[in-house]
Amino acid sequence: IVNRMWARFFGQGIVSPVDQMHSANPPSHPELLAWLARDMADHNFDLPRLMRGLVLSKAYGRDSRWTAGERPAPELFAVAQVRPLSPHQY
């Protein structure tokens, strides 16, 4: 669930694609994924707490513009990904 929530908020999971969590498809940040999963279990799988933690993180608050050199790879989460509006939002 942690990987799915991360993908929902950041546009890409720590393990991508989110349905392919196995040894041949390692996470981009294994320590972060392990810490988030352990924290989620330690707090009785409290989804609102997880969501609050994700949206208050520095990673979530990053700008979508990159001005210094070549844009980093999306799996580094160094720049916010721009997502188009859904038809309903438009």
Side-chain angles (χ1 to χ4, degrees):
I1 189 67
V2 168
N3 190 48
R4 287 185 179 278
M5 295 303 292
W6 185 278
R8 179 72 176 135
F9 286 112
F10 291 90
Q12 178 177 340
I14 298 171
V15 176
S16 187
V18 291
D19 294 332
Q20 300 292 320
M21 291 189 75
H22 50 76
S23 60
N25 188 25
S28 60
H29 298 80
E31 296 87 9
L32 174 61
L33 182 63
W35 183 85
L36 287 170
R38 189 173 46 253
D39 185 67
M40 180 82 168
D42 289 347
H43 290 92
N44 298 318
F45 302 96
D46 186 1
L47 280 176
R49 183 179 182 282
L50 173 65
M51 289 187 283
R52 177 178 164 78
L54 292 178
V55 300
L56 292 177
S57 70
K58 288 183 180 179
Y60 187 79
R62 295 189 192 268
D63 195 349
S64 63
R65 289 174 285 171
W66 185 262
T67 57
E70 187 176 335
R71 190 176 180 91
E75 59 269 7
L76 295 177
F77 303 106
V79 182
Q81 290 188 10
V82 178
R83 291 182 278 171
L85 295 173
S86 70
H88 180 72
Q89 291 170 322
Y90 186 68

